Amino acid sequence: MRLLIQRVKRASVTINGNENDKRSINQGMCVFIGVTHGDDESKADWLAEKMSGLRIFEDSDGKINLSLKDIEGEVLLVSQFSLYASCSKGRRPGFTDAAKPDEAERLYDYFVSKVKALGLRKVSCGEFGADMEVEIINDGPLTFIVDSI
């Protein structure tokens, strides 16, 4: 599994162009989640803990030293199969490294449930397989890629 984590001042996702189905957060993280072949629950568990404890927020001295939990931040989770795209050949990305949709959705849902169980202030989610418009006000900008071990 792979996470692309962006520290945000705020973020939102609109599902299938429906403004009535807009999910948003304030200060925290917008996290894009990719699933590849061989991923399992143990990798999702590790990534959920890693993400929530990642110290990417500034303390009172301006040092990047606080976690999402420390600042009582919020998180927006969005599935993104293209995190496993290969652009090494030709001009059209290949997606064979991304897990098949049914397995990716199962692990995405599992990851969401693990993050929700961490007791964070607010967890909002996109919708797997939907057309999503994501709006992000990046803070920093700070962006991190975290791969499962």
Side-chain angles (χ1 to χ4, degrees), residues 45-59:
D45 293 342
W46 185 85
L47 281 170
E49 288 292 332
K50 183 74 165 180
M51 179 213 73
S52 68
L54 200 60
R55 298 184 327 174
I56 64 171
F57 298 94
E58 294 177 1
D59 63 18

Side-chain angles (χ1 to χ4, degrees), residues 7 56-67 70-71:
R7 187 177 79 176
I56 64 171
F57 298 94
E58 294 177 1
D59 63 18
S60 59
D61 295 325
K63 297 194 186 246
I64 298 174
N65 199 31
L66 300 175
S67 72
D70 294 331
I71 67 158

Side-chain angles (χ1 to χ4, degrees), residues 25-56:
I25 63 161
N26 290 309
Q27 182 186 28
M29 296 176 176
C30 181
V31 181
F32 296 94
I33 301 116
V35 179
T36 191
H37 310 288
D39 283 343
D40 59 20
E41 289 81 358
S42 68
K43 291 180 179 185
D45 293 342
W46 185 85
L47 281 170
E49 288 292 332
K50 183 74 165 180
M51 179 213 73
S52 68
L54 200 60
R55 298 184 327 174
I56 64 171

Side-chain angles (χ1 to χ4, degrees), residues 1-6 29-36 39 43-44 47-48 51 75-84 98-99 103-113 115 123-129 132 144 146-148:
M1 290 182 81
R2 178 173 291 157
L3 304 182
L4 187 142
I5 300 170
Q6 295 188 325
M29 296 176 176
C30 181
V31 181
F32 296 94
I33 301 116
V35 179
T36 191
D39 283 343
K43 291 180 179 185
L47 281 170
M51 179 213 73
V75 64
L76 176 64
L77 304 173
V78 180
S79 63
Q80 187 163 3
F81 74 96
S82 64
L83 287 178
Y84 279 102
E103 181 62 9
E105 183 173 17
R106 186 184 72 75
L107 280 171
Y108 169 75
D109 289 343
Y110 179 84
F111 181 79
V112 167
S113 71
V115 172
V123 178
S124 292
C125 303
E127 185 175 308
F128 189 92
M132 295 179 279
F144 304 91
V146 182
D147 286 313
S148 58

